[in-house]
Amino acid sequence: MTETTGLKVTTQGDREIVMTRLFDAPRHLVFEAYTNPDFLKRWLLGPPGWEMVVCVAAAKAGDHYRYEWRNADGRQFGMAGACREFIRPEKIVCTELMDGCASEALVTLVLAEQNSKTLLTVTSLCESREVRDAILKSGMESGVAASYNRLEELLVTGQAQENSQGASAS
């Protein structure tokens, strides 16, 4: 198990990656952060120097999503998938296919509220142990940790609350 600034990454069985992180915010705000494109573009960026240039988020089961990132050197990558389950504000289940990869993962996000904090658990079910291990060796953990640190900052400073209120007003 590895821990990076609150992020815990473990494996489960032969094909799963499990990431957990406790956020100092109520569950509905963390859920909003995962589903509101304007908010996603502010925190789901991976390591420093990247920006999200395409953000099409799923809003219900059956929707497709697409995210693309670009860095200052012009490198670009993306991922897409389909939302299979969408239970506000507690659970999202989606397929995930990274550009250039042949295998798709099934990703389950669960949010559990604990004393006005939110425990986020993301489980990625990979096609094989080899794919899981390649993902773990890719450096994705540092990108996820950087993104979650940005998210925590937005949640703690109240910027998520402002964004959430603006979204519900429109």
Side-chain angles (χ1 to χ4, degrees), residues 31-95:
F31 191 89
E32 179 74 14
Y34 261 91
T35 58
N36 180 317
D38 293 331
F39 199 41
L40 281 163
K41 289 185 226 179
R42 296 174 63 198
W43 71 268
L44 188 59
L45 304 174
W50 288 86
E51 67 175 322
M52 185 181 278
V53 295
V54 173
C55 183
V56 177
K60 64 185 184 317
D63 282 359
H64 287 79
Y65 70 93
R66 173 84 186 153
Y67 306 138
E68 292 179 21
W69 296 269
R70 184 180 317 134
N71 73 2
D73 298 333
R75 287 189 304 156
Q76 194 162 328
F77 76 97
M79 67 182 209
C83 184
R84 292 187 177 176
E85 193 174 343
F86 194 92
I87 303 169
R88 184 175 295 276
E90 63 188 71
K91 185 177 183 182
I92 302 172
V93 179
C94 292
T95 60

Side-chain angles (χ1 to χ4, degrees), residues 101-167:
C101 292
S103 71
E104 188 174 70
L106 184 64
V107 179
T108 302
L109 169 115
V110 175
L111 300 172
E113 199 155 53
Q114 301 177 344
N115 301 322
S116 38
K117 295 185 180 193
T118 301
L119 178 63
L120 170 135
T121 303
V122 177
T123 304
S124 296
L125 176 61
C126 302
E127 185 176 277
S128 67
R129 178 184 207 126
E130 292 75 25
V131 169
R132 181 202 68 186
D133 292 348
I135 291 169
L136 289 169
K137 290 177 186 171
S138 74
M140 72 83 180
E141 183 177 335
S142 63
V144 170
S147 288
Y148 285 167
N149 289 343
R150 267 187 227 98
L151 174 55
E152 178 74 22
E153 185 177 328
L154 292 172
L155 292 166
V156 168
T157 60
Q159 293 179 49
Q161 182 69 35
E162 295 163 14
N163 199 327
S164 176
Q165 290 172 346

